[in-house]
Amino acid sequence: VQLQASGGGLVQAGGSLRLSCAASGRSSGAMAWFRQPPGKEREFVVAIGWIQGSTYYADSVKGRFTISRDNAKNTVYLQMNNLKPEDTAVYYCAAGKDWGWFEPAAFDSWGQGTQVTVSS
């Protein structure tokens, strides 16, 4: 599966952005978003199951971020509301074969990353 992420940008605190991740093929398990803040390790943000549509969010984004999928377009979206400066990071979409394991090692296809910058 090849992934193409888009939609990043610069936004003020409290603003919104929507990221998109287009997949060249269908993942059989999960699609996820990770992010890597400046000087920090990559961290899990949210995942969605392609088949069952289950979702799993990191505590830091619950209630602010929403993941969704369009199976017909093989595309996953991340709606980010009430953005905070600490959300500043490069955001990566990823595809994995299984549901239930949300470490980076569980995902074998990665997009190129899109920069999200939130100013205070």
Side-chain angles (χ1 to χ4, degrees), residues 3 9 16-17 22 31 37 44 46 61 66 72 74 83-85 90-91 96 98 101-103 116:
L3 305 175
S16 298
L17 283 173
M31 292 286 290
F44 172 79
V46 61
V61 304
T66 303
N74 283 349
L83 281 161
K84 304 176 181 180
V90 178
Y91 283 70
D98 300 310
W101 185 25
F102 305 114
E103 295 294 323
V116 171

Side-chain angles (χ1 to χ4, degrees), residues 46-68:
V46 61
I48 187 166
W50 264 122
I51 298 174
Q52 76 280 34
S54 300
T55 58
Y56 182 73
Y57 291 85
D59 288 343
S60 58
V61 304
K62 282 181 182 177
R64 300 188 299 121
F65 290 12
T66 303
I67 191 170
S68 61

Side-chain angles (χ1 to χ4, degrees), residues 35-43 86:
R35 65 187 182 186
Q36 188 162 14
K40 297 184 179 180
E41 293 186 353
R42 193 170 298 189
E43 62 186 30
E86 52 263 43

